[in-house]
Amino acid sequence: QVQLVESGGGLVQAGDSLRLSCKASGRTVSSYVMGWFRQAPGKEREFVAAIGWHTGITDYADSVKGRFTISRDTAKDTGFLQMNSLKPEDTAVYYCATSSSMLAIRRGSAGSWGQGTQVTVSS
């Protein structure tokens, strides 16, 4: 199993940027897909973005397209979520996860989850 640790969350103002990191350890991530999810208070967890660890193919939720960019550094076993033009509605706990396929992670099916990092965007 892959162990995941997120970092980089914080309190920012609307329009600001943040970069989240997700450090993977344990079993190799190379055959997996890494994704980011978020959960706001009182709401269900939702898919944000995903990247094929080997292929680099990306997928985004419509709500973040053009503002968020997912990437990975395979040498450092670390994934990233660059978040620009943040809005108050982006406020949530952000989780990274790994799954076996893009389709699976889009459906919220993941084998490993991080502990989450809080992102708060003030208006």
Side-chain angles (χ1 to χ4, degrees):
Q1 191 171 1
V2 179
Q3 288 79 47
L4 304 169
V5 178
E6 303 97 332
S7 61
L11 171 63
V12 297
Q13 293 186 333
D16 285 351
S17 298
L18 274 177
R19 189 192 197 201
L20 306 183
S21 298
C22 177
K23 172 66 176 173
S25 61
R27 189 174 178 180
T28 180
V29 186
S30 63
S31 61
Y32 288 81
V33 172
M34 179 176 280
W36 288 92
F37 293 78
R38 65 187 183 186
Q39 187 167 21
K43 294 187 177 181
E44 293 187 353
R45 183 177 60 203
E46 64 173 351
F47 169 81
V48 174
I51 186 166
W53 197 256
H54 179 67
T55 65
I57 295 173
T58 59
D59 187 21
Y60 295 93
D62 288 343
S63 59
V64 305
K65 278 182 181 177
R67 299 189 299 123
F68 290 11
T69 302
I70 189 171
S71 62
R72 84 282 191 234
D73 184 335
T74 57
K76 296 182 178 180
D77 288 330
T78 302
F80 304 98
L81 185 68
Q82 177 67 43
M83 306 185 295
N84 298 331
S85 302
L86 282 162
K87 305 175 182 180
E89 50 263 45
D90 295 318
T91 295
V93 177
Y94 283 71
Y95 300 88
C96 68
T98 57
S99 188
S100 57
S101 71
M102 296 290 267
L103 182 60
I105 209 161
R106 255 285 189 176
R107 294 174 175 173
S109 176
S112 298
W113 292 90
Q115 83 288 350
T117 186
Q118 177 70 47
V119 172
T120 304
V121 184
S122 63
S123 57

